[in-house]
Amino acid sequence: MGGASVQQAFALFSAAAPEGWRVELIEGEICVTPPANGEHEEIVSEVNHQVGRKAGDASLRNFTGIGLNVPGASETGHVIPDLVIAPKGSFGDQEEWHDPSAALLVAEVTSDSTAVKDRDKKIHGYARANIPVYLLIDREEGQVTVYSEPSGDEYAKGAQHKMGLVVPLPAPLGFDLDTAEF
């Protein structure tokens, strides 16, 4: 692929990836991730269920597998969070990669292959995109971190909680997530 731009290489990797694999462009790096294991998907499903039950806003929807454009080391990064909470209709177009401005929360559940990116590089992109809440469920560390109040490349707050405890989600969500259910 001599001479190909990062965007061109990203497009080629995306087209060639086997079904179920995620291809993301994070901070100028092309990242290819295999399908998640069952434990990972159980956690995403539980968060999805609790948000649907507790959010109290019938206009909110939970999106899995949605592509977001986030600012990064390259002009645009392309990420696929494990879960995005946004108002209904936010991603109703035919585009593959979406403006993240409607996202109220993005969640990532770490895996061996994604943990480093989830803990570091994705934080910067989500903060730059001004996503109000980034929920990081770190299975390896047994910890849940709720990042809020994005400012530039960082979040002003990063409340850490031991997995298994009740975790308060700040506005715009404003309810508790019971991580004992994970």
Side-chain angles (χ1 to χ4, degrees):
M1 288 191 296
S5 72
V6 172
Q7 291 287 343
Q8 291 168 325
F10 173 77
L12 290 171
F13 274 93
S14 295
E19 188 173 333
W21 287 62
R22 289 184 179 197
V23 181
E24 299 175 299
L25 180 58
I26 306 168
E27 297 291 311
E29 178 184 347
I30 298 169
C31 304
V32 182
T33 307
N37 64 30
E39 179 186 56
H40 177 281
E41 289 304 298
E42 284 285 339
I43 293 171
V44 172
S45 178
E46 182 59 31
V47 172
N48 202 344
H49 174 72
Q50 287 189 40
V51 168
R53 205 176 74 234
K54 296 179 179 183
D57 184 343
S59 72
L60 294 182
R61 295 293 182 269
N62 302 334
F63 299 89
T64 57
I66 199 80
L68 298 179
N69 289 316
V70 297
S74 58
E75 185 174 314
T76 301
H78 301 298
V79 298
I80 305 170
D82 291 322
L83 179 67
V84 176
I85 299 171
K88 180 180 179 180
S90 296
F91 309 115
D93 57 26
Q94 296 292 315
E95 298 298 317
E96 186 173 352
W97 301 102
H98 301 273
D99 179 329
S101 62
L104 303 177
L105 176 144
V106 292
E108 297 286 1
V109 178
T110 63
S111 299
D112 289 341
S113 60
T114 66
V116 172
K117 293 181 289 288
D118 292 341
R119 291 181 194 130
D120 182 34
K121 292 182 179 183
K122 285 191 174 183
I123 293 170
H124 303 304
Y126 294 149
R128 286 184 203 117
N130 207 32
I131 296 171
V133 179
Y134 173 35
L135 177 67
L136 176 60
I137 301 167
D138 195 325
R139 296 187 294 168
E140 291 74 20
E141 298 293 325
Q143 181 172 290
V144 177
T145 306
V146 180
Y147 294 96
S148 61
E149 299 181 21
S151 177
D153 288 358
E154 304 291 335
Y155 282 92
K157 293 185 178 178
Q160 296 181 334
H161 308 271
K162 185 176 178 183
M163 191 90 75
L165 299 177
V166 172
V167 173
L169 297 179
L173 297 172
F175 61 86
D176 292 339
L177 189 65
D178 184 359
T179 68
E181 297 297 320
F182 296 172

